[in-house]
Amino acid sequence: MESVVIYADYLSQPCRAVLIFCEIAKISYKFHEVRVIKKQTLRDEYAKVSPSRTVPTMIHGDLILYESHAIIIYLIEKFKLKDNWYPNDIIKRALVNNYLHWHHMNLRLGCGWYVFNRWAGPMFYGGILKDLDVICNERREDAFQVLERILEKHKFVGRTDEVSVADIVCYCEIVQMLMVDIDLKGYPQLQIWFDGIGRIPEVQKVHKTFFRLLPRLKL
Amino acid sequence: MESVVIYADYLSQPCRAVLIFCEIAKISYKFHEVRVIKKQTLRDEYAKVSPSRTVPTMIHGDLILYESHAIIIYLIEKFKLKDNWYPNDIIKRALVNNYLHWHHMNLRLGCGWYVFNRWAGPMFYGGILKDLDVICNERREDAFQVLERILEKHKFVGRTDEVSVADIVCYCEIVQMLMVDIDLKGYPQLQIWFDGIGRIPEVQKVHKTFFRLLPRLKL
């Protein structure tokens, strides 16, 4: 079988989520570092690799995927990971899919875009976009409230009883907020869940670079 | 089997996408109209129905889903629609998933959020958010270019040879741009594909209300 090839940046949340599943799947993958902040994703030669010029991008044989959730689902199915990560049961899978699609315009817009705007905005847009800042703050607060309500009733964010892909992608997004010193004190259930997911060995391994660099990444 | 219950607004793109699959699946569903522009999604009684206070929301037995892509995948799997809509093959499914996850932050941000900002921004935000307008325009142009390049090589936007869920959700988003009189003349392959998807009977049926009201919806 051909090698899985991953183009990724350890400082990107969806990249880390993909790398965690490479570790969980125990596959030997070829890793190519592509740094977003250095505009390496925008280079012409990278367009030949990634049709969307984004990280993560995965190549496996003829298959090119450039969306982290799609990559992770593919890895889980291809390498037959345990059913809890992405359940076969139609209802459990629907709950996980509901989280994965909700994630983009809610948690990711509230966390990832907020940090990106403050960190890279001056370089990419010539400054922090103020309207975007407002929208991101609103979205993040709404998203945290939704997650808190879910975790008052369920063990995991995908409304499942076992840990799933939803928890991993959610953690990777929220941990990015440590760059702006956010805490979760208004969200006690979210804090307990966050600490638990952070103790998963593969999550810890892939976050080593992020935590090592964190003091220098503070905004 | 319990009835499928759908809360939706015919003027919302993801709602129409869900309703198209209800029609394709030929299921008798209970339809409740919830109007976004009248802030009916924000009412307290609607929070009891939809945890995210958004449309579409689907209820089937104990299952509540509030993300259109997750609802559609559930309907396809539960009602055993033809394999082309959401393939079982791991690679074909990965391609469709890649489109579905790409959609949110690219095509939807570029089309749906653009129109929402111009249409409802004055009511929801006290005005059109200018930064958001700029970001939406950039995203839409990038997204249309990505779609054009896909359609130069493949028959359908999910990089598949048969029509899939990706084509339906993509169409519903682009058609919304008729509210601002956009045309696709710079994107010839996208125009041909768009016209083709618009001829699918279920797509036409669900878009009747939108096209009837379109002259009054122009921005």
Side-chain angles (χ1 to χ4, degrees):
Chain A
M1 190 184 287
E2 294 192 72
S3 285
V4 170
V5 183
I6 306 279
Y7 293 80
D9 182 340
Y10 274 106
L11 300 188
S12 145
Q13 311 86 299
C15 288
R16 291 195 302 270
V18 165
L19 294 170
I20 287 167
F21 279 93
C22 289
E23 295 293 332
I24 291 172
K26 293 186 173 52
I27 53 172
S28 61
Y29 56 95
K30 289 186 189 162
F31 175 75
H32 294 279
E33 191 175 45
V34 184
R35 298 293 308 280
V36 175
I37 198 76
K38 292 187 175 173
K39 296 191 177 181
Q40 291 175 352
T41 51
L42 304 180
R43 288 181 182 166
D44 284 343
E45 66 255 38
Y46 189 59
K48 293 172 194 158
V49 171
S50 172
S52 60
R53 297 194 191 199
T54 51
V55 282
T57 288
M58 185 212 74
I59 303 179
H60 193 205
D62 294 330
L63 180 64
I64 300 175
L65 300 176
Y66 46 85
E67 279 290 325
S68 60
H69 295 183
I71 295 170
I72 292 167
I73 292 170
Y74 173 76
L75 292 175
I76 290 171
E77 295 192 330
K78 187 74 184 173
F79 295 95
K80 300 182 177 21
L81 295 202
K82 282 185 185 163
D83 189 60
N84 63 288
W85 293 114
Y86 190 62
N88 276 309
D89 174 77
I90 291 177
I91 289 177
K92 288 181 189 168
R93 177 175 291 210
L95 293 170
V96 173
N97 279 335
N98 194 81
Y99 176 84
L100 293 178
H101 286 290
W102 173 86
H103 177 90
H104 301 284
M105 279 294 202
N106 294 281
L107 193 70
R108 180 148 180 75
L109 193 56
C111 295
W113 274 51
Y114 178 79
V115 171
F116 188 80
N117 189 23
R118 301 201 143 244
W119 187 43
M123 193 193 303
F124 284 79
Y125 303 119
I128 292 168
L129 301 179
K130 285 183 188 165
D131 287 349
L132 188 59
D133 227 36
V134 172
I135 289 173
C136 292
N137 282 332
E138 270 182 20
R139 284 271 147 169
R140 187 175 59 256
E141 196 163 314
D142 284 353
F144 281 3
Q145 285 174 11
V146 168
L147 292 172
E148 183 71 10
R149 286 199 298 271
I150 288 173
L151 292 168
E152 283 167 358
K153 290 186 188 169
H154 304 277
K155 279 181 77 175
F156 296 101
V157 297
R159 292 182 279 161
T160 57
D161 295 326
E162 291 186 277
V163 66
S164 81
V165 56
D167 299 286
I168 302 298
V169 302
C170 184
Y171 175 89
C172 291
E173 208 56 54
I174 294 176
V175 82
Q176 200 81 6
M177 293 305 292
L178 296 177
M179 285 172 66
V180 284
D181 269 337
I182 199 171
D183 65 37
L184 299 173
K185 64 183 169 193
Y187 308 96
Q189 296 306 317
L190 190 56
Q191 180 73 65
I192 293 167
W193 165 90
F194 182 78
D195 294 340
I197 302 301
R199 283 192 291 270
I200 295 173
E202 292 86 353
V203 172
Q204 290 189 335
K205 181 175 176 184
V206 170
H207 278 79
K208 266 189 186 158
T209 302
F210 175 76
F211 279 114
R212 182 169 52 77
L213 294 176
L214 186 58
R216 287 201 277 143
L217 296 173
K218 293 276 186 189
L219 293 170
Chain B
M1 191 185 285
E2 294 191 73
S3 284
V4 171
V5 183
I6 306 280
Y7 292 81
D9 181 341
Y10 275 105
L11 300 188
S12 146
Q13 310 86 299
C15 289
R16 291 195 302 269
V18 165
L19 294 170
I20 287 167
F21 279 94
C22 289
E23 295 293 332
I24 290 172
K26 293 186 172 54
I27 51 172
S28 63
Y29 55 95
K30 289 186 189 162
F31 174 76
H32 295 278
E33 190 175 45
V34 183
R35 298 292 309 280
V36 175
I37 199 74
K38 292 187 176 173
K39 297 192 176 182
Q40 292 176 350
T41 50
L42 304 180
R43 288 181 184 166
D44 284 344
E45 66 255 39
Y46 189 60
K48 293 173 194 158
V49 171
S50 171
S52 61
R53 297 195 192 198
T54 52
V55 282
T57 289
M58 185 211 74
I59 302 178
H60 193 204
D62 293 330
L63 180 65
I64 299 174
L65 300 176
Y66 47 84
E67 279 291 324
S68 60
H69 295 184
I71 295 169
I72 293 168
I73 291 170
Y74 172 77
L75 292 175
I76 290 171
E77 295 191 333
K78 187 75 185 172
F79 294 95
K80 300 185 178 16
L81 293 202
K82 283 184 185 163
D83 189 60
N84 62 287
W85 293 114
Y86 191 62
N88 276 309
D89 175 75
I90 292 176
I91 290 177
K92 288 181 189 168
R93 176 176 292 211
L95 293 170
V96 173
N97 278 336
N98 194 82
Y99 176 84
L100 293 178
H101 285 291
W102 173 86
H103 177 90
H104 302 283
M105 279 294 202
N106 294 281
L107 193 70
R108 181 149 180 75
L109 194 55
C111 295
W113 274 51
Y114 178 79
V115 171
F116 187 80
N117 189 21
R118 301 202 142 241
W119 187 43
M123 194 194 303
F124 284 79
Y125 304 119
I128 292 168
L129 301 179
K130 285 183 187 165
D131 289 347
L132 188 60
D133 227 36
V134 171
I135 289 173
C136 291
N137 283 331
E138 269 182 18
R139 283 271 146 170
R140 187 175 60 256
E141 195 163 316
D142 285 352
F144 281 3
Q145 286 174 10
V146 168
L147 292 171
E148 183 71 11
R149 285 200 297 273
I150 287 172
L151 292 168
E152 284 167 358
K153 290 186 187 168
H154 304 276
K155 281 181 77 175
F156 297 101
V157 299
R159 292 183 280 161
T160 57
D161 295 326
E162 292 186 276
V163 66
S164 81
V165 55
D167 299 286
I168 301 299
V169 302
C170 184
Y171 175 89
C172 291
E173 208 57 53
I174 295 176
V175 81
Q176 199 81 6
M177 293 305 292
L178 295 177
M179 286 172 65
V180 284
D181 269 338
I182 198 170
D183 66 36
L184 298 172
K185 64 183 170 194
Y187 309 96
Q189 296 306 318
L190 190 56
Q191 180 73 65
I192 292 167
W193 165 89
F194 182 78
D195 294 341
I197 302 300
R199 283 193 290 271
I200 295 172
E202 291 86 353
V203 172
Q204 291 190 336
K205 180 175 177 185
V206 170
H207 278 79
K208 267 189 185 159
T209 303
F210 174 75
F211 279 114
R212 182 169 51 78
L213 294 176
L214 186 57
R216 287 201 275 144
L217 296 173
K218 293 277 185 186
L219 293 169

